[in-house]
Amino acid sequence: MSDTPEMFDRLRRFPDIEAPNLFAVDAADRLILDEAADALAAAPSGSVVVVGDHYGALTAGAVLEHGRSEVRVYQDPLTGELALTNNARELGFTERYTSHGLGEALLRGARVVLMQLPRSLAELGEISQLIALHADPEVRVFAGGRDKHITPAMNKVLAESFSAVSASRGRQKSRVLRAAEPKADVAVTFPMTEWLDEFGLDVVAHGAVFAGASLDIGTRLLLENLGKIDITPRDVVDLGCGSGILATAIALKFADAQVVATDQSSAAVASSIATASANGVGDRVRGLRDDAMSTLPDASVDLVLLNPPFHVGAAVHTGGALKLFEAAGRVLRPGGQLWTVHNAHLGYREPLKAAVGESQAMAKNAKFIVMRSIKAS
């Protein structure tokens, strides 16, 4: 117990963005572990599951503070999974946990689930349904987060899958929602599918995907302007693919193109594959869970489509977008193009020019701008 503060101090976010205002552990991590202490002490070996661990604090706490082993972990972002790997190596608990996808193998027979609450109600709904379906009937769920991100709707979502839902007292602007008694009649309703009549597309999305199966306004603007692309690409990347709308649309537009739908989110990659298959281009769209195309060779791509994030977790931070611009510049062939849609006020023209090449606005509305950047020959 006494070495826990030192343990938390040693945790890093790497390879995710690191900055003075970005942290690898927060008050919610500490509160979740404290609230679950008695349940963790009583849990049989191999029955503890961690969901949504940002950078490894929950897993490290369960293993090093509470002496658990055979802990099963699910992290949607690849950067979180890699950060946990690095932190486990540094702190010496690599052999005491295993990483899994979100499904039965993760949750079968779970007695204690520690969870960082996702921002999306849909993601919370999918996770809750799967816990209720696969975990032990005696499972206890401890789902925590910062007060400013917890809403009454989260209690309602949990109550759809569990008969007993309550909240802890707050501490350091954080709180834990507790759930138990999984309902016997819970059905898994994800992934969800929506028909976009305007573009003639079926969109399939798991709960963790940004905007779900709907079309966010930035992607809409880029989608509306794909007809302005003046090259015939052989190799295309939908970078930060989300539900795979852009990957599918570009595969439909260019019948000979091979498309990689890549994202650090496992839910996004799975959704993109499903969306492509639903629209008859599954044979030409490949899913790739990766961090900023790190596994793609230099100068191997003709066209990159990108709707970059402007948040890192809950913090507004442009580092993630700049990293993706640099990655696009690396993988594009000479004369290849990066098409980006972003908030117009962010002023990305110069960073795009520096990372890729000459950049110009191709479309604009009240909030977003579409930029084309051409890789110098």
Side-chain angles (χ1 to χ4, degrees), residues 35-184:
E35 284 289 318
D38 291 342
L40 286 168
S45 180
S47 69
V48 174
V49 170
V50 177
V51 174
D53 199 356
H54 291 162
Y55 301 100
L58 291 178
T59 307
V63 169
L64 299 179
E65 181 180 8
H66 295 280
R68 299 295 85 193
S69 60
E70 300 179 50
V71 175
R72 288 170 277 168
V73 183
Y74 166 69
Q75 296 159 284
D76 180 58
L78 178 61
T79 47
E81 195 171 297
L82 294 174
L84 172 55
T85 299
N86 294 334
N87 286 323
R89 186 183 301 116
E90 171 67 20
L91 295 174
F93 65 92
T94 299
E95 303 301 319
R96 295 175 66 181
Y97 81 95
T98 52
S99 291
H100 298 262
L102 182 60
E104 182 178 0
L106 171 76
L107 296 163
R108 187 188 306 114
R111 293 287 293 273
V112 177
V113 176
L114 310 179
M115 177 166 57
Q116 273 277 359
L117 280 165
R119 299 285 290 276
S120 160
L121 293 178
E123 183 176 3
L124 179 59
E126 184 171 16
I127 293 168
S128 300
Q129 290 171 4
L130 289 166
I131 295 172
L133 182 64
H134 297 300
D136 188 282
E138 300 299 316
V139 67
R140 297 177 64 188
V141 179
F142 300 86
R146 306 292 282 169
D147 284 342
K148 62 184 178 181
H149 299 141
I150 297 177
T151 67
M154 290 179 170
N155 297 64
K156 295 178 181 177
V157 169
L158 285 167
E160 290 173 358
S161 295
F162 299 91
S163 296
V165 177
S166 62
S168 74
R169 292 185 176 183
R171 190 179 79 191
Q172 293 181 291
K173 299 180 180 179
S174 299
R175 195 172 304 273
V176 171
L177 303 182
R178 299 173 293 229
E181 301 176 21
K183 295 180 177 180

Side-chain angles (χ1 to χ4, degrees), residues 292-351:
M293 303 185 291
S294 66
T295 61
L296 295 185
D298 293 358
S300 61
V301 172
D302 302 304
L303 176 66
V304 176
L305 306 175
L306 171 63
N307 182 357
F310 61 94
H311 284 82
V312 176
V316 175
H317 200 282
T318 60
L322 301 181
K323 177 180 178 179
L324 297 178
F325 298 163
E326 292 169 1
R330 179 184 67 80
V331 304
L332 281 169
R333 296 180 175 120
Q337 299 184 6
L338 167 65
W339 284 66
T340 309
V341 61
H342 59 81
N343 292 75
H345 73 273
L346 291 174
Y348 279 149
R349 183 190 297 268
E350 289 306 313

Side-chain angles (χ1 to χ4, degrees), residues 77 153 202 208 224:
D202 271 317
E224 290 171 343

Side-chain angles (χ1 to χ4, degrees), residues 231-250:
I231 59 173
T232 303
R234 302 191 313 272
D235 299 291
V236 181
V237 174
D238 179 1
L239 177 56
C241 57
S243 62
I245 293 175
L246 291 172
T248 294
I250 207 72

